[in-house]
Amino acid sequence: MTLIQIYKGCLIMFSFFLLNSCAANSENFKLNGISLVASRDSITEDQVSKIVEVNANSVALMPYAFMREKSDPELIYNIERQWFGERLEGIEHTIMHLKSQNLRIMMKPHIWLRNGDFTGDLKFSSEAEWEKFETSYRKYLMLYAELSEKHHLEILCIGTELYNFVKERPEFWNLLISDIRKIYKGKLVYAENWDKVDQVDIWDKIDFIGVDAYFPLSDQVSPSEDEIVEGWQKHKSMLEDLSSEYDKPILFTEYGYRSMDHALKEPWNSNRDISEPNHNLQARALKILYEEFWTNNWFAGGYLWKWDQHEGSGGLENDRFTPQNKPAENMIKEYYRKFRN
């Protein structure tokens, strides 16, 4: 190992502890996060700079695992058929580029089911199938726990929208968390879907209460700011109570809206033929979310869903979640600037 390599390693370690210290000691500190979509190509410095330009200070990386069928308990991941950005080598390449710009990182493994079936409903019919799935899931998580420790990543998400799995197999999750703690020294979060976040039993064992925050806020075509504020109140009250009950901060492991009419009725809905583009509603909804949550001490921040690697993504012809090249991008930049540390 050369002196330059030793120096770089020490610098990364110092930055890791400094950033965690800042987060722990500043009530105003928030994780201004984006969820980075993996690409078939390697990320460039210019692409990372675009993330920094919107005043983001943290990035979620999402190495997907796949299941051939819901009845087949074996997870498939880190294979040559996946895009470079989802494979281990691609993840490590991306980490180094993000770290070079002092961006924090959350490692957030996801499971993808065929036909877009919901992972929260995942169940198996026999003990043997459950055990096979647990063995596969443990191997998957430990791979990324080891990678997260190797690169001193700030947060590891131990699961994403796996309500039935967490509910049905508590002994597995308790042991998994314990074993991860032995090798990974950063913070742990679990990401539960918005409608089940108050029904999870592992919040006392991890560091953040993670919420994929697609709460329905309004049935209106294009609700006003006041209507959006009103729509948040019961959800916000529930989250504040949950944070108080467990003495843990709330972290929006995902949040975001499509740029279309009716975007707040079912914010999770990703169908491609729903409504008309409405870029102002997307920007307006994000503005209210920041004003309602980012000023609260019990709230740790969140990760915008989602940010594409290529600079030309999004645009005014696009009604998907990405805010890129839309009015929402400036809204994010403005509010993230207020809380960027």
Side-chain angles (χ1 to χ4, degrees):
M1 181 177 290
T2 67
L3 288 175
I4 292 176
Q5 288 173 319
I6 294 172
Y7 170 76
K8 287 183 177 179
C10 291
L11 184 61
I12 291 172
M13 282 290 291
F14 175 74
S15 298
F16 174 70
F17 289 115
L18 179 62
L19 292 171
N20 275 284
S21 176
C22 289
N25 293 313
S26 172
E27 290 186 349
N28 291 324
F29 173 82
K30 302 297 177 192
L31 288 161
N32 295 337
I34 62 102
S35 300
L36 182 63
V37 179
S39 172
R40 67 172 70 247
D41 306 312
S42 57
I43 198 167
T44 67
E45 290 185 10
D46 287 344
Q47 290 165 347
V48 177
S49 295
K50 292 295 183 182
I51 296 171
V52 175
E53 285 176 11
V54 294
N55 296 307
N57 59 23
S58 189
V59 174
L61 299 179
M62 300 166 291
Y64 275 86
F66 302 86
M67 295 176 64
R68 291 187 179 92
E69 302 289 345
K70 285 189 291 185
S71 58
D72 185 346
E74 191 73 26
L75 294 174
I76 302 168
Y77 56 93
N78 192 35
I79 59 174
E80 286 299 318
R81 290 179 60 188
Q82 288 181 272
W83 283 0
F84 177 76
E86 286 188 353
R87 302 197 303 268
L88 201 62
E89 59 179 329
I91 290 285
E92 291 199 89
H93 174 87
T94 303
I95 287 171
M96 299 310 294
H97 275 279
L98 297 175
K99 286 288 187 180
S100 73
Q101 301 241 22
N102 295 321
L103 287 162
R104 301 162 180 83
I105 298 172
M106 175 173 71
M107 184 67 70
K108 188 168 181 274
H110 281 234
I111 296 176
W112 180 258
L113 300 180
R114 181 174 290 185
N115 301 320
D117 289 340
F118 181 47
T119 52
D121 296 332
L122 192 63
K123 279 189 175 183
F124 297 99
S125 59
S126 70
E127 180 66 18
E129 288 178 331
W130 270 117
E131 290 179 359
K132 184 177 180 181
F133 179 67
E134 287 174 347
T135 298
S136 186
Y137 190 82
R138 176 187 173 83
K139 184 179 178 182
Y140 172 52
L141 255 292
M142 295 304 282
L143 172 66
Y144 290 103
E146 291 169 359
L147 183 68
S148 298
E149 179 61 21
K150 174 183 176 181
H151 292 286
H152 312 294
L153 305 192
E154 287 77 11
I155 303 176
L156 172 65
C157 183
I158 61 173
T160 300
E161 298 177 6
L162 295 170
Y163 176 73
N164 277 344
F165 186 15
V166 174
K167 179 183 178 182
E168 299 275 345
R169 311 296 288 187
E171 292 183 4
F172 168 81
W173 284 92
N174 291 339
L175 182 59
L176 178 67
I177 292 167
S178 176
D179 288 345
I180 288 174
R181 294 280 195 196
K182 293 173 184 176
I183 65 168
Y184 173 68
K185 306 307 178 186
K187 303 294 186 181
L188 298 183
V189 66
Y190 164 69
E192 185 51 85
N193 201 45
W194 65 272
D195 62 338
K196 295 291 193 297
V197 66
D198 58 345
Q199 302 173 43
V200 173
D201 295 328
I202 61 173
W203 297 135
D204 60 333
K205 298 175 179 64
I206 55 181
D207 301 296
F208 298 101
I209 296 173
V211 188
D212 285 357
Y214 302 108
F215 295 93
L217 302 178
S218 173
D219 289 338
Q220 300 301 312
V221 175
S222 187
S224 67
E225 289 191 10
D226 287 344
E227 288 171 328
I228 299 171
V229 170
E230 181 180 358
W232 263 119
Q233 295 316 299
K234 65 178 181 180
H235 307 305
K236 182 179 177 183
S237 177
M238 179 273 291
L239 292 170
E240 185 173 8
D241 289 346
L242 192 63
S243 174
S244 178
E245 178 183 354
Y246 287 97
D247 194 25
K248 302 288 174 70
I250 301 293
L251 177 63
F252 281 177
T253 38
E254 291 178 24
Y255 75 90
Y257 306 98
R258 292 179 62 180
S259 51
M260 65 175 196
D261 287 345
H262 290 292
L264 309 190
K265 183 178 181 179
E266 295 180 342
W268 61 88
N269 198 326
S270 60
N271 291 344
R272 292 191 174 271
D273 56 354
I274 300 177
S275 193
E276 295 296 320
N278 189 334
H279 302 297
N280 289 331
L281 177 58
Q282 182 187 42
R284 186 160 64 246
L286 290 172
K287 174 179 184 288
I288 297 304
L289 184 147
Y290 296 136
E291 291 178 351
E292 287 293 309
F293 286 92
W294 254 251
T295 57
N296 294 289
N297 292 337
W298 50 268
F299 184 75
Y303 290 83
L304 178 78
W305 188 267
K306 54 191 176 175
W307 189 273
D308 291 305
Q309 189 167 303
H310 296 291
E311 299 92 326
S313 299
L316 298 183
E317 301 300 317
N318 178 285
D319 70 354
R320 311 302 290 170
F321 284 94
T322 179
Q324 290 161 277
N325 301 301
K326 302 176 185 178
E329 184 171 348
N330 288 329
M331 190 67 68
I332 295 160
K333 184 175 183 179
E334 175 186 348
Y335 278 87
Y336 271 10
R337 178 183 55 79
K338 297 179 181 181
F339 295 97
R340 180 175 172 84
N341 284 2

